Amino acid sequence: MSRRKCFFGCEGKLNLFASPKEESTRQYWIQFLFAGQQPTVNWFLCSRHFSEDAFLNRAQYEAGFSARLLLRDGAVPSVKGRVKESEALASSSQQTPTTRYRHIGGQTDPLPTVSVATQFCHQMVSVGTQLSYSTLKNHVRSKAVQVSMCNTAGTEPSQQDTRLKLSSTPGKASAPSLGVRPAKRPRLELQEEEEEDEKKCSVNAQPHDSTNDLDDSPSEMSGMESTCDYTDAKYIVFESCLRDLFQTCPVCRWECVVQQRSLGTFVSFSQRCPNCQYTRKWQSQPIKMNTPVGNLQMSAAVYFTGASFIQMEKICKAMNLQMFHYDTFRRHARMFLEPAINHKWKTDQQKLVEHLKEKDKIAVGGDMRADSPGPTARFGSYTLMHLDSNNIIDVQLVQSNEVGGSSNMETEGLRRGLDFLEAHHLNVDYIVTDRHAQVQKYLKERNVEQYYDVWHLEKDLSQQLENLAKNKEYLVVRKWLPSIKNHIYWTATASKSGPEKVAKWKSLVNHLQNIHKHEDPLFPRCTHPDRVSRDPNKWFQPGSSALNKVEKLLLDKQILRDVEKLSHDHQISSLEAFHSITKHFTQKNDVLSFIGRLCRLYLAAMHFNENAKRDQSTSLEGKAVYRIMFPNCRTGQYITNPIQMEPTFQYVSDLMKLLFKKIFKDPTRYIEDLNKISIPEDRWTQFERP
């Protein structure tokens, strides 16, 4: 077995190093030694051909604490030719310059003479600058791109950690999250999968979950922090187009070693030329506190607009658009998004309460919406609205198992809402609700004046009359359905007095028989002019079965009591419109946690309050615009609805600003406020898990 020797024939006490296993570094060694010729087998280099910073333990070795020098990963030789031991010592102590060569087109040209101990590094950081003409091939302007370049002669850069660790949450404040142990903060880390090639190395990383402490984050992340704002415009860029920017060295036109790292919507490229040692780093989005801003903003955009992450993920997968996992989205929601929503809603609610305190008494409307039809509803949300301004005052979310069943959720939600108004010293003049029996009993016990919404009564009566009109003998009932509906609204709004409402309601039976004089002293005669029709088929015949059926239905004792309490001034149609808005933010079939559903209800309330007083759209001539709708296609009857102006989404911009300006920096206080909300136990906790 032959004795190992240095490739350049150096003599004396030597520390020999074999060719590295890393392909890109190995190719540089071969180019440095053989200048493009066929390499020999079993060749070694001694420590005299490397700069001082190429070793891990140079100081320990010279002090006698280490028997052998250890070469850094990725270190490359910098000194050619045979070097004697005395020359090596002199070079180390007196900092004598050395000469490096580069091989281009069969010619060997000397590189600039630079000291081994003192390395020259020219570094530029440019924001909103132009990339090199050689890199871009054509003159292309790069906007808001940070580029870091380092041209090094006489040495190689120090060891670089090829493992880039990125966290989905920032490195500040170990605040407790909802249902998560606060001991450690969740992190995401990149693992690289290397693809070896003769001239280039491309590393694609896939994210995975880990629970490393934030203190373990590499110092490399501090250099990648940037000042780009979250309001910057974003674009969809293909990976192949990005790679074209980094494949060729802008200095010597050699093909570079390119490392790619990705985490969700984030991607970064590290470029290094094996010939002239030109280096550059580029990232697709700013990083703040170890978190890519684009990932967090994507989660915020999905949540704040009431969209579904599952649907968004399907869209991204369909076009191969890189996206982070659902666990990351939920981590963003717990740590930042839900605290932001809760804080903004409480702030807006407090401003509305302070404004309503200026009034002596307020008229409110209340109604509940369940998360699923029937008695199996898990959640019920009760909403209180200020009827004069159509603003949502309060939203209470009730879980069925905490009140003994879904039938009790509406009463409990109303109680919590009224307690909120009393706690903030708001005096309720009256409340408009539906005709729920438990609500009637509770408001009577609480001594709160109650009125009924007209639409709920009209809906119940219309359904019964339509069922009656299905019989061929009662076809005349169908002709009178529109008039009976209009009479209900006219009766409610014509007078505030309950007995007068009942008298006007009873006059409907006389109208059906073409009689316009009444026996009631409060309402002896109709106010409209008499119109006598000669067609007997338009009227109910006295003593007929159809008249008896309709009269029995309209003059029922319970109906008369409800008519007496119909609301004369305000209705809760706007509250029904709010329930339609909540369908977008909280689908009935969505599986959401208690806090998740509550925050989405807050978003729906913020959206509704912002757009509650939209003006009606007008044409170019200044005329109001309407749309024709057919609510019941079977009858062919249509209605006209005014078209309002397009809604605004200023609350989303406010939430984004709150998130990145305050909560993202230190979410501790906001998480503590969210944790103050009482969360009931899930229904299945009472059963033993198999």
Side-chain angles (χ1 to χ4, degrees), residues 563-613:
V563 167
E564 188 175 359
K565 299 183 66 177
L566 288 177
S567 177
H568 59 283
D569 191 7
H570 296 289
Q571 308 301 328
I572 57 174
S573 57
S574 297
L575 198 52
E576 296 294 336
F578 170 70
H579 288 166
S580 299
I581 295 295
T582 59
K583 293 179 182 179
H584 170 73
F585 289 90
T586 56
Q587 295 290 337
K588 289 189 174 183
N589 295 328
D590 284 350
V591 180
L592 300 172
S593 63
F594 184 89
I595 290 296
R597 185 171 293 273
L598 181 62
C599 288
R600 287 181 176 265
L601 289 173
Y602 288 165
L603 287 171
M606 285 186 280
H607 176 85
F608 186 84
N609 288 348
E610 181 177 324
N611 298 277
K613 295 182 179 181

Short mmCIF file of all heavy atoms in Angstrom, two decimals, residues 563-613:
data_model
loop_
_atom_site.label_atom_id
_atom_site.label_comp_id
_atom_site.label_asym_id
_atom_site.label_seq_id
_atom_site.Cartn_x
_atom_site.Cartn_y
_atom_site.Cartn_z
N VAL A 563 -102.18 39.13 17.19
CA VAL A 563 -102.40 40.35 16.40
C VAL A 563 -102.35 41.58 17.29
O VAL A 563 -101.82 42.63 16.89
CB VAL A 563 -103.76 40.26 15.66
CG1 VAL A 563 -104.15 41.62 15.09
CG2 VAL A 563 -103.68 39.22 14.56
N GLU A 564 -102.83 41.48 18.48
CA GLU A 564 -102.84 42.61 19.41
C GLU A 564 -101.42 43.05 19.76
O GLU A 564 -101.18 44.22 20.08
CB GLU A 564 -103.61 42.23 20.67
CG GLU A 564 -103.85 43.38 21.63
CD GLU A 564 -104.71 42.98 22.81
OE1 GLU A 564 -105.14 41.82 22.86
OE2 GLU A 564 -104.96 43.84 23.68
N LYS A 565 -100.44 42.12 19.67
CA LYS A 565 -99.06 42.43 20.05
C LYS A 565 -98.13 42.56 18.84
O LYS A 565 -96.92 42.52 19.00
CB LYS A 565 -98.52 41.35 20.99
CG LYS A 565 -99.31 41.23 22.30
CD LYS A 565 -98.70 40.20 23.23
CE LYS A 565 -97.35 40.63 23.71
NZ LYS A 565 -96.77 39.67 24.69
N LEU A 566 -98.70 42.73 17.65
CA LEU A 566 -97.85 42.93 16.48
C LEU A 566 -97.11 44.26 16.57
O LEU A 566 -97.66 45.26 17.03
CB LEU A 566 -98.70 42.89 15.20
CG LEU A 566 -99.23 41.53 14.77
CD1 LEU A 566 -100.12 41.68 13.54
CD2 LEU A 566 -98.10 40.55 14.50
N SER A 567 -95.84 44.24 16.12
CA SER A 567 -95.02 45.45 16.19
C SER A 567 -95.56 46.50 15.23
O SER A 567 -95.82 46.23 14.05
CB SER A 567 -93.58 45.11 15.84
OG SER A 567 -92.78 46.26 15.84
N HIS A 568 -95.74 47.71 15.73
CA HIS A 568 -96.32 48.80 14.96
C HIS A 568 -95.27 49.66 14.26
O HIS A 568 -95.57 50.39 13.33
CB HIS A 568 -97.14 49.71 15.87
CG HIS A 568 -96.32 50.29 16.99
ND1 HIS A 568 -95.95 49.57 18.11
CD2 HIS A 568 -95.75 51.52 17.14
CE1 HIS A 568 -95.22 50.31 18.91
NE2 HIS A 568 -95.08 51.51 18.35
N ASP A 569 -94.03 49.61 14.72
CA ASP A 569 -93.01 50.53 14.21
C ASP A 569 -91.88 49.79 13.50
O ASP A 569 -91.59 50.03 12.34
CB ASP A 569 -92.46 51.37 15.36
CG ASP A 569 -91.60 52.52 14.86
OD1 ASP A 569 -91.56 52.72 13.63
OD2 ASP A 569 -90.98 53.21 15.68
N HIS A 570 -91.21 48.88 14.21
CA HIS A 570 -90.05 48.17 13.66
C HIS A 570 -90.36 46.69 13.47
O HIS A 570 -91.13 46.10 14.23
CB HIS A 570 -88.85 48.32 14.60
CG HIS A 570 -88.37 49.73 14.75
ND1 HIS A 570 -87.72 50.40 13.75
CD2 HIS A 570 -88.45 50.60 15.80
CE1 HIS A 570 -87.41 51.63 14.16
NE2 HIS A 570 -87.84 51.77 15.40
N GLN A 571 -89.71 46.11 12.46
CA GLN A 571 -89.74 44.67 12.24
C GLN A 571 -88.30 44.15 12.26
O GLN A 571 -87.35 44.93 12.23
CB GLN A 571 -90.42 44.35 10.91
CG GLN A 571 -91.78 44.99 10.71
CD GLN A 571 -92.79 44.58 11.77
OE1 GLN A 571 -92.76 43.47 12.29
NE2 GLN A 571 -93.71 45.50 12.10
N ILE A 572 -88.17 42.86 12.30
CA ILE A 572 -86.82 42.26 12.38
C ILE A 572 -86.43 41.62 11.06
O ILE A 572 -85.69 40.62 11.03
CB ILE A 572 -86.75 41.24 13.53
CG1 ILE A 572 -87.79 40.14 13.35
CG2 ILE A 572 -86.88 41.92 14.87
CD1 ILE A 572 -87.66 39.02 14.38
N SER A 573 -86.88 42.22 9.96
CA SER A 573 -86.45 41.72 8.66
C SER A 573 -84.95 41.91 8.46
O SER A 573 -84.28 41.09 7.81
CB SER A 573 -87.22 42.43 7.55
OG SER A 573 -87.05 43.84 7.64
N SER A 574 -84.39 42.99 9.02
CA SER A 574 -82.94 43.20 8.93
C SER A 574 -82.19 42.13 9.70
O SER A 574 -81.08 41.73 9.31
CB SER A 574 -82.57 44.59 9.45
OG SER A 574 -83.15 45.59 8.65
N LEU A 575 -82.79 41.64 10.78
CA LEU A 575 -82.15 40.57 11.54
C LEU A 575 -82.15 39.27 10.74
O LEU A 575 -81.19 38.48 10.81
CB LEU A 575 -82.88 40.39 12.87
CG LEU A 575 -82.15 39.63 13.97
CD1 LEU A 575 -80.77 40.19 14.22
CD2 LEU A 575 -82.97 39.65 15.26
N GLU A 576 -83.21 39.05 9.97
CA GLU A 576 -83.23 37.89 9.08
C GLU A 576 -82.17 38.03 7.99
O GLU A 576 -81.55 37.05 7.56
CB GLU A 576 -84.61 37.73 8.46
CG GLU A 576 -85.73 37.43 9.46
CD GLU A 576 -85.57 36.08 10.12
OE1 GLU A 576 -84.91 35.21 9.53
OE2 GLU A 576 -86.09 35.90 11.24
N ALA A 577 -81.94 39.26 7.53
CA ALA A 577 -80.88 39.50 6.55
C ALA A 577 -79.51 39.20 7.15
O ALA A 577 -78.61 38.68 6.46
CB ALA A 577 -80.94 40.94 6.05
N PHE A 578 -79.33 39.52 8.42
CA PHE A 578 -78.06 39.20 9.09
C PHE A 578 -77.87 37.69 9.17
O PHE A 578 -76.74 37.19 8.99
CB PHE A 578 -78.03 39.80 10.49
CG PHE A 578 -76.89 39.32 11.34
CD1 PHE A 578 -75.59 39.70 11.05
CD2 PHE A 578 -77.11 38.46 12.41
CE1 PHE A 578 -74.53 39.24 11.83
CE2 PHE A 578 -76.06 38.01 13.19
CZ PHE A 578 -74.77 38.40 12.89
N HIS A 579 -78.93 36.94 9.41
CA HIS A 579 -78.81 35.49 9.44
C HIS A 579 -78.40 34.95 8.08
O HIS A 579 -77.68 33.94 8.00
CB HIS A 579 -80.14 34.86 9.87
CG HIS A 579 -80.44 35.07 11.32
ND1 HIS A 579 -81.68 34.86 11.88
CD2 HIS A 579 -79.65 35.49 12.34
CE1 HIS A 579 -81.65 35.12 13.17
NE2 HIS A 579 -80.42 35.51 13.48
N SER A 580 -78.83 35.61 7.01
CA SER A 580 -78.38 35.20 5.68
C SER A 580 -76.89 35.47 5.51
O SER A 580 -76.18 34.70 4.84
CB SER A 580 -79.17 35.95 4.61
OG SER A 580 -80.56 35.64 4.69
N ILE A 581 -76.38 36.54 6.11
CA ILE A 581 -74.94 36.84 6.04
C ILE A 581 -74.14 35.78 6.80
O ILE A 581 -73.06 35.35 6.35
CB ILE A 581 -74.65 38.23 6.62
CG1 ILE A 581 -75.30 39.31 5.75
CG2 ILE A 581 -73.16 38.48 6.74
CD1 ILE A 581 -74.74 39.41 4.36
N THR A 582 -74.66 35.32 7.93
CA THR A 582 -73.94 34.33 8.72
C THR A 582 -73.81 33.00 8.00
O THR A 582 -72.92 32.20 8.33
CB THR A 582 -74.64 34.11 10.07
OG1 THR A 582 -75.99 33.66 9.83
CG2 THR A 582 -74.67 35.39 10.89
N LYS A 583 -74.68 32.73 7.00
CA LYS A 583 -74.55 31.49 6.24
C LYS A 583 -73.23 31.44 5.49
O LYS A 583 -72.70 30.36 5.24
CB LYS A 583 -75.71 31.36 5.26
CG LYS A 583 -77.07 31.16 5.93
CD LYS A 583 -78.17 31.06 4.89
CE LYS A 583 -79.53 30.92 5.55
NZ LYS A 583 -80.63 30.86 4.54
N HIS A 584 -72.73 32.62 5.10
CA HIS A 584 -71.44 32.65 4.40
C HIS A 584 -70.28 32.40 5.36
O HIS A 584 -69.31 31.71 5.01
CB HIS A 584 -71.26 34.00 3.72
CG HIS A 584 -69.88 34.22 3.17
ND1 HIS A 584 -69.42 33.58 2.05
CD2 HIS A 584 -68.86 35.00 3.61
CE1 HIS A 584 -68.17 33.96 1.81
NE2 HIS A 584 -67.81 34.82 2.74
N PHE A 585 -70.37 32.91 6.56
CA PHE A 585 -69.26 32.81 7.51
C PHE A 585 -69.33 31.50 8.31
O PHE A 585 -68.28 30.97 8.69
CB PHE A 585 -69.28 34.00 8.47
CG PHE A 585 -68.89 35.29 7.82
CD1 PHE A 585 -69.84 36.11 7.24
CD2 PHE A 585 -67.57 35.71 7.79
CE1 PHE A 585 -69.49 37.30 6.64
CE2 PHE A 585 -67.20 36.89 7.19
CZ PHE A 585 -68.16 37.69 6.60
N THR A 586 -70.53 31.01 8.60
CA THR A 586 -70.69 29.77 9.38
C THR A 586 -71.71 28.90 8.68
O THR A 586 -72.91 29.02 8.94
CB THR A 586 -71.14 30.07 10.82
OG1 THR A 586 -72.36 30.84 10.78
CG2 THR A 586 -70.10 30.84 11.58
N GLN A 587 -71.24 28.04 7.82
CA GLN A 587 -72.13 27.07 7.19
C GLN A 587 -72.68 26.12 8.25
O GLN A 587 -71.97 25.73 9.18
CB GLN A 587 -71.39 26.29 6.12
CG GLN A 587 -70.92 27.13 4.94
CD GLN A 587 -72.07 27.59 4.07
OE1 GLN A 587 -73.14 26.99 4.06
NE2 GLN A 587 -71.84 28.68 3.35
N LYS A 588 -73.94 25.72 8.09
CA LYS A 588 -74.55 24.88 9.11
C LYS A 588 -73.89 23.51 9.21
O LYS A 588 -73.90 22.89 10.27
CB LYS A 588 -76.04 24.71 8.80
CG LYS A 588 -76.86 25.98 9.03
CD LYS A 588 -78.34 25.71 8.94
CE LYS A 588 -79.15 26.95 9.32
NZ LYS A 588 -80.60 26.69 9.31
N ASN A 589 -73.32 23.04 8.13
CA ASN A 589 -72.70 21.71 8.14
C ASN A 589 -71.21 21.75 8.44
O ASN A 589 -70.57 20.71 8.47
CB ASN A 589 -72.92 21.03 6.79
CG ASN A 589 -74.39 20.74 6.54
OD1 ASN A 589 -75.15 20.50 7.48
ND2 ASN A 589 -74.81 20.77 5.28
N ASP A 590 -70.63 22.94 8.65
CA ASP A 590 -69.21 23.04 8.97
C ASP A 590 -68.96 22.54 10.39
O ASP A 590 -69.72 22.84 11.32
CB ASP A 590 -68.73 24.48 8.84
CG ASP A 590 -68.55 24.89 7.38
OD1 ASP A 590 -68.62 24.00 6.53
OD2 ASP A 590 -68.37 26.08 7.12
N VAL A 591 -67.89 21.79 10.55
CA VAL A 591 -67.49 21.32 11.88
C VAL A 591 -66.50 22.33 12.44
O VAL A 591 -65.33 22.36 12.06
CB VAL A 591 -66.86 19.92 11.81
CG1 VAL A 591 -66.46 19.44 13.20
CG2 VAL A 591 -67.83 18.93 11.17
N LEU A 592 -66.97 23.18 13.34
CA LEU A 592 -66.16 24.23 13.93
C LEU A 592 -66.17 24.11 15.43
O LEU A 592 -67.15 23.65 16.03
CB LEU A 592 -66.69 25.62 13.52
CG LEU A 592 -66.72 25.94 12.02
CD1 LEU A 592 -67.45 27.25 11.78
CD2 LEU A 592 -65.31 26.01 11.46
N SER A 593 -65.09 24.54 16.04
CA SER A 593 -65.04 24.58 17.50
C SER A 593 -65.89 25.74 18.01
O SER A 593 -66.38 26.57 17.24
CB SER A 593 -63.59 24.74 17.97
OG SER A 593 -63.06 25.98 17.52
N PHE A 594 -66.06 25.78 19.32
CA PHE A 594 -66.88 26.84 19.91
C PHE A 594 -66.28 28.21 19.62
O PHE A 594 -66.97 29.13 19.16
CB PHE A 594 -66.99 26.61 21.42
CG PHE A 594 -67.90 27.59 22.12
CD1 PHE A 594 -69.25 27.32 22.26
CD2 PHE A 594 -67.40 28.77 22.65
CE1 PHE A 594 -70.08 28.22 22.89
CE2 PHE A 594 -68.22 29.68 23.28
CZ PHE A 594 -69.57 29.39 23.41
N ILE A 595 -64.96 28.36 19.85
CA ILE A 595 -64.30 29.64 19.60
C ILE A 595 -64.28 29.94 18.11
O ILE A 595 -64.48 31.09 17.69
CB ILE A 595 -62.88 29.62 20.18
CG1 ILE A 595 -62.93 29.62 21.71
CG2 ILE A 595 -62.08 30.83 19.70
CD1 ILE A 595 -63.55 30.87 22.31
N GLY A 596 -64.05 28.93 17.28
CA GLY A 596 -64.03 29.16 15.84
C GLY A 596 -65.37 29.65 15.32
O GLY A 596 -65.44 30.58 14.50
N ARG A 597 -66.47 29.07 15.78
CA ARG A 597 -67.79 29.51 15.35
C ARG A 597 -68.12 30.89 15.90
O ARG A 597 -68.71 31.73 15.21
CB ARG A 597 -68.86 28.49 15.79
CG ARG A 597 -70.25 28.80 15.28
CD ARG A 597 -71.18 27.65 15.59
NE ARG A 597 -70.82 26.47 14.83
CZ ARG A 597 -71.27 26.21 13.60
NH1 ARG A 597 -72.08 27.07 12.99
NH2 ARG A 597 -70.91 25.10 12.99
N LEU A 598 -67.73 31.16 17.14
CA LEU A 598 -68.00 32.47 17.74
C LEU A 598 -67.26 33.57 16.99
O LEU A 598 -67.82 34.64 16.71
CB LEU A 598 -67.61 32.45 19.22
CG LEU A 598 -67.87 33.74 20.01
CD1 LEU A 598 -69.35 34.08 20.02
CD2 LEU A 598 -67.33 33.62 21.42
N CYS A 599 -65.99 33.32 16.65
CA CYS A 599 -65.22 34.34 15.93
C CYS A 599 -65.80 34.59 14.54
O CYS A 599 -65.81 35.73 14.06
CB CYS A 599 -63.76 33.92 15.84
SG CYS A 599 -62.85 34.03 17.40
N ARG A 600 -66.29 33.57 13.90
CA ARG A 600 -66.90 33.77 12.59
C ARG A 600 -68.22 34.53 12.70
O ARG A 600 -68.58 35.29 11.80
CB ARG A 600 -67.10 32.43 11.90
CG ARG A 600 -65.78 31.82 11.40
CD ARG A 600 -65.99 30.49 10.70
NE ARG A 600 -64.72 29.99 10.16
CZ ARG A 600 -64.31 30.19 8.91
NH1 ARG A 600 -65.07 30.87 8.08
NH2 ARG A 600 -63.15 29.71 8.50
N LEU A 601 -68.94 34.35 13.78
CA LEU A 601 -70.14 35.16 14.02
C LEU A 601 -69.76 36.63 14.24
O LEU A 601 -70.47 37.53 13.78
CB LEU A 601 -70.91 34.62 15.22
CG LEU A 601 -71.63 33.28 15.01
CD1 LEU A 601 -72.21 32.78 16.34
CD2 LEU A 601 -72.75 33.41 13.99
N TYR A 602 -68.66 36.85 14.95
CA TYR A 602 -68.18 38.23 15.12
C TYR A 602 -67.83 38.85 13.76
O TYR A 602 -68.12 40.03 13.53
CB TYR A 602 -66.95 38.24 16.03
CG TYR A 602 -67.24 37.95 17.49
CD1 TYR A 602 -66.22 37.62 18.39
CD2 TYR A 602 -68.54 38.00 17.99
CE1 TYR A 602 -66.48 37.37 19.72
CE2 TYR A 602 -68.81 37.73 19.33
CZ TYR A 602 -67.76 37.42 20.18
OH TYR A 602 -68.02 37.18 21.51
N LEU A 603 -67.20 38.07 12.89
CA LEU A 603 -66.87 38.58 11.56
C LEU A 603 -68.14 38.95 10.80
O LEU A 603 -68.20 39.99 10.12
CB LEU A 603 -66.08 37.54 10.78
CG LEU A 603 -64.62 37.33 11.19
CD1 LEU A 603 -64.05 36.11 10.47
CD2 LEU A 603 -63.79 38.55 10.88
N ALA A 604 -69.17 38.09 10.88
CA ALA A 604 -70.44 38.38 10.21
C ALA A 604 -71.06 39.66 10.76
O ALA A 604 -71.62 40.47 10.00
CB ALA A 604 -71.39 37.20 10.37
N ALA A 605 -70.97 39.86 12.08
CA ALA A 605 -71.53 41.08 12.68
C ALA A 605 -70.76 42.32 12.22
O ALA A 605 -71.36 43.36 11.93
CB ALA A 605 -71.50 40.96 14.21
N MET A 606 -69.43 42.23 12.14
CA MET A 606 -68.64 43.36 11.67
C MET A 606 -68.96 43.69 10.21
O MET A 606 -69.05 44.86 9.83
CB MET A 606 -67.14 43.06 11.85
CG MET A 606 -66.67 43.14 13.28
SD MET A 606 -64.87 42.96 13.46
CE MET A 606 -64.72 41.18 13.36
N HIS A 607 -69.11 42.66 9.40
CA HIS A 607 -69.45 42.88 7.99
C HIS A 607 -70.84 43.52 7.87
O HIS A 607 -71.03 44.46 7.07
CB HIS A 607 -69.42 41.55 7.24
CG HIS A 607 -69.84 41.66 5.81
ND1 HIS A 607 -68.98 42.01 4.80
CD2 HIS A 607 -71.06 41.50 5.22
CE1 HIS A 607 -69.63 42.03 3.65
NE2 HIS A 607 -70.90 41.73 3.88
N PHE A 608 -71.79 43.04 8.65
CA PHE A 608 -73.15 43.57 8.56
C PHE A 608 -73.22 45.01 9.06
O PHE A 608 -73.87 45.87 8.43
CB PHE A 608 -74.10 42.69 9.38
CG PHE A 608 -75.54 43.06 9.24
CD1 PHE A 608 -76.30 42.59 8.18
CD2 PHE A 608 -76.16 43.90 10.16
CE1 PHE A 608 -77.64 42.93 8.04
CE2 PHE A 608 -77.49 44.25 10.03
CZ PHE A 608 -78.24 43.76 8.97
N ASN A 609 -72.57 45.31 10.17
CA ASN A 609 -72.60 46.67 10.70
C ASN A 609 -71.95 47.67 9.75
O ASN A 609 -72.38 48.82 9.65
CB ASN A 609 -71.91 46.72 12.06
CG ASN A 609 -72.74 46.05 13.15
OD1 ASN A 609 -73.92 45.74 12.96
ND2 ASN A 609 -72.13 45.80 14.30
N GLU A 610 -70.90 47.24 9.07
CA GLU A 610 -70.23 48.14 8.14
C GLU A 610 -71.10 48.45 6.92
O GLU A 610 -71.03 49.55 6.37
CB GLU A 610 -68.91 47.52 7.69
CG GLU A 610 -68.11 48.40 6.73
CD GLU A 610 -66.78 47.79 6.37
OE1 GLU A 610 -66.16 47.14 7.24
OE2 GLU A 610 -66.35 47.95 5.20
N ASN A 611 -71.95 47.51 6.52
CA ASN A 611 -72.75 47.67 5.30
C ASN A 611 -74.24 47.79 5.60
O ASN A 611 -75.07 47.55 4.72
CB ASN A 611 -72.51 46.49 4.36
CG ASN A 611 -71.07 46.39 3.91
OD1 ASN A 611 -70.65 47.06 2.97
ND2 ASN A 611 -70.29 45.54 4.57
N ALA A 612 -74.59 48.14 6.84
CA ALA A 612 -76.01 48.19 7.21
C ALA A 612 -76.74 49.35 6.54
O ALA A 612 -77.95 49.28 6.32
CB ALA A 612 -76.15 48.29 8.73
N LYS A 613 -76.03 50.42 6.21
CA LYS A 613 -76.70 51.61 5.67
C LYS A 613 -76.19 51.92 4.27
O LYS A 613 -75.84 53.05 3.95
CB LYS A 613 -76.46 52.81 6.60
CG LYS A 613 -77.09 52.66 7.97
CD LYS A 613 -76.87 53.89 8.83
CE LYS A 613 -77.53 53.73 10.19
NZ LYS A 613 -77.33 54.93 11.04
#
